[in-house]
């Protein structure tokens, strides 16, 4: 019996490519009935904006062979048999091990990733040819139990002011869940640890201004009903869902760039695979010109140095990272610390 498959024509910057999609009727989002073909068509519709945001970066694919309710796994390097237009770049992980990692350069590559049952795309904050030096400062505003998206809005607005004072232009997107992601384009002249320290400096400044509303506490039991400013998303090989990436949640939401003017009235549940293509046609891409005027993190690193002098040192790294100089005792964020 002939296998079910379709061939999709995907326009690119140089040519139109034919991408074969097997099992197009496979349901990836059971609640909404969205299929693999629906996801591929979504990626075609948002392809240009998706590549602008996530292209030319090392990328991890979060794959769901049986749909979002089934088993999942991450893949980083292109498998054997990948098309010639799929490339990889060698990156160095925190363990000091190096490995080739996938790079997407055109919409057809994103559709090919859908053929591999990819639902969520996780780009690095650095470019393929300079993967050691981020060109994006990223801050994840993560609502804790007892808080929600609406609580993250005033934190994001104040964070924008903090970054402005540090000489950086901030851009914002929904996480696709309850949180917000704030990005600032930067010159790729500092390695990951410096950028992490810049993020911590900004996070601490935000915490000083909104101590009842935000926290940098790594241990969950210390966060309270506040927005956690997740500084550990700034580490090497730590990624978040990319702009215009779908999320593996029941209503098929999308991590969606928005303007600052939209933020206070935004409903993250309204940005889905169904709605984002039309939004791009009518509103345009709020991140389209993000990379035109990158800033520098010198002011934030000055704040970091100031805080070090005041006795505020390094914050905990994730448990799977090598121990770092000056780091406090390593504890899982969900494990209560023992009293001395």
């Amino acid at each position: 019996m002939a296998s079910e498959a379709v061939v999709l024509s995907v326009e690119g910057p140089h040519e139109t490519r034919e991408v074969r999609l097997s099992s197009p009727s496979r349901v990836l989002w059971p609640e909404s009935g969205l299929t693999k073909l629906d996801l591929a068509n979504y990626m075609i519709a948002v392809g240009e904006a998706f590549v602008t945001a996530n292209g030319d970066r090392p990328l991890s694919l979060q794959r769901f062979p049986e749909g979002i309710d089934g088993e999942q796994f991450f893949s980083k390097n292109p498998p054997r048999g990948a098309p010639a237009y799929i490339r990889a770049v060698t990156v160095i992980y925190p363990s000091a091990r190096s490995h080739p990692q996938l790079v997407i350069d055109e919409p057809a590559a994103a559709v090919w990733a859908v053929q591999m049952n990819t639902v969520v795309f996780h780009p690095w904050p650095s470019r393929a040819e300079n993967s050691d030096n981020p060109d994006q400062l990223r801050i994840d505003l993560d609502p804790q139990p007892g808080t929600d998206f609406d609580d993250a809005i005033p934190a994001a607005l104040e964070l924008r002011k903090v970054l402005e004072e540090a000489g950086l232009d901030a851009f914002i997107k929904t996480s696709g869940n309850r949180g917000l992601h704030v990005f600032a384009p930067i010159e790729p002249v500092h390695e990951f640890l410096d950028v992490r320290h810049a993020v911590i400096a900004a996070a601490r400044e935000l915490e000083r201004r909104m101590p009842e509303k935000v926290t940098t506490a790594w241990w969950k039991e210390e966060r309270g009903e506040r927005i956690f400013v997740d500084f550990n998303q700034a580490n090497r090989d730590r990624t978040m869902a990319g702009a215009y990436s779908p999320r593996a949640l029941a209503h098929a939401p999308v991590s969606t760039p928005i303007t600052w003017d939209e933020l206070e009235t935004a409903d993250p549940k309204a940005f889905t695979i169904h709605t984002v293509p039309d939004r791009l046609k009518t509103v345009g891409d709020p991140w389209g010109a993000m990379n035109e005027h990158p800033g520098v993190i010198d002011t934030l690193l000055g704040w970091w140095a100031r805080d070090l002098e005041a006795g505020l040192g390094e914050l905990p790294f994730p448990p799977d990272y090598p121990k770092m100089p000056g780091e406090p005792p390593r504890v899982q964020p969900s494990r209560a610390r023992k009293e001395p």
Side-chain angles (χ1 to χ4, degrees):
M1 181 169 60
S3 63
E4 179 193 21
V6 296
V7 176
L8 302 174
S9 295
V10 185
E11 292 185 13
H14 306 297
E15 62 181 290
T16 298
R17 301 196 189 276
E18 304 296 310
V19 182
R20 183 178 184 275
L21 195 76
S22 63
S23 304
S25 61
R26 175 178 295 153
V27 175
L28 296 180
W29 282 270
E31 183 172 299
S32 58
L34 284 166
T35 65
K36 187 174 176 179
L37 179 58
D38 292 325
L39 178 55
N41 284 329
Y42 165 80
M43 293 308 304
I44 292 172
V46 303
E48 183 178 350
F50 179 89
V51 172
T52 297
N54 307 296
D56 191 34
R57 300 181 182 278
L59 191 79
S60 297
L61 306 179
Q62 190 175 357
R63 296 163 59 184
F64 295 79
E66 302 303 324
I68 66 166
D69 293 337
E71 292 186 5
Q72 60 174 293
F73 64 96
F74 284 83
S75 63
K76 298 182 177 184
N77 60 307
R80 290 181 181 177
Y85 56 85
I86 304 295
R87 70 175 171 120
V89 63
T90 299
V91 299
I92 299 175
Y93 298 120
S95 63
R97 179 176 59 89
S98 60
H99 200 276
Q101 187 134 358
L102 175 75
V103 179
I104 282 180
D105 293 312
E106 58 181 285
V111 178
W112 166 84
V114 171
Q115 160 60 15
M116 305 292 292
N117 301 299
T118 301
V119 170
V120 191
F121 296 77
H122 297 261
W124 279 37
S126 54
R127 296 286 178 172
E129 304 309 321
N130 188 12
S131 60
D132 292 331
N133 291 13
D135 71 337
Q136 291 176 337
L137 181 146
R138 300 175 172 182
I139 300 179
D140 179 13
L141 298 176
D142 184 11
Q144 298 303 291
T147 65
D148 213 327
F149 181 83
D150 287 344
D151 298 292
I153 292 173
L157 291 170
E158 190 62 35
L159 177 58
R160 185 190 187 190
K161 294 178 184 177
V162 169
L163 294 175
E164 234 172 16
E165 291 172 24
L168 298 175
D169 292 329
F171 293 76
I172 194 164
K173 68 182 178 75
T174 64
S175 69
N177 196 355
R178 300 189 308 134
L180 285 164
H181 296 161
V182 177
F183 282 36
I186 58 175
E187 295 283 356
V189 295
H190 291 277
E191 51 95 14
F192 275 88
L193 187 59
D194 285 338
V195 176
R196 167 194 163 87
H197 290 162
V199 167
I200 291 173
R204 282 176 167 156
E205 182 60 27
L206 180 63
E207 187 176 33
R208 288 186 191 100
R209 299 182 185 192
M210 307 180 72
E212 303 301 318
K213 300 294 184 181
V214 306
T215 180
T216 59
W218 176 244
W219 295 279
K220 289 184 178 180
E221 63 274 14
E222 294 183 356
R223 295 175 187 170
E225 294 185 3
R226 292 180 286 182
I227 301 299
F228 174 48
V229 189
D230 190 353
F231 51 88
N232 269 328
Q233 293 292 353
N235 294 337
R236 181 185 292 270
D237 195 33
R238 289 279 159 160
T239 57
M240 55 184 73
Y244 301 107
S245 171
R247 300 301 305 272
L249 298 172
H251 65 291
V254 169
S255 182
T256 306
I258 58 177
T259 67
W260 286 101
D261 288 341
E262 293 178 288
L263 176 58
E264 292 186 86
T265 58
D267 176 5
K269 293 181 180 178
F271 303 131
T272 70
I273 287 177
H274 291 293
T275 64
V276 169
D278 284 340
R279 170 182 164 80
L280 269 173
K281 291 176 184 177
T282 57
V283 177
D285 179 11
W287 281 22
M290 176 195 282
N291 300 312
E292 291 181 2
H293 302 289
V296 296
I297 61 172
D298 295 1
T299 297
L300 290 177
L301 291 179
W303 295 358
W304 165 259
R306 174 202 64 194
D307 289 345
L308 282 182
E309 284 191 25
L312 295 174
E314 184 62 87
L315 291 175
F317 280 73
D320 56 342
Y321 265 60
K323 187 73 174 176
M324 301 296 291
E327 183 188 350
R330 184 68 62 82
V331 183
Q332 286 275 10
S334 58
R335 184 190 304 162
R337 292 182 296 171
K338 295 180 180 179
E339 295 297 326

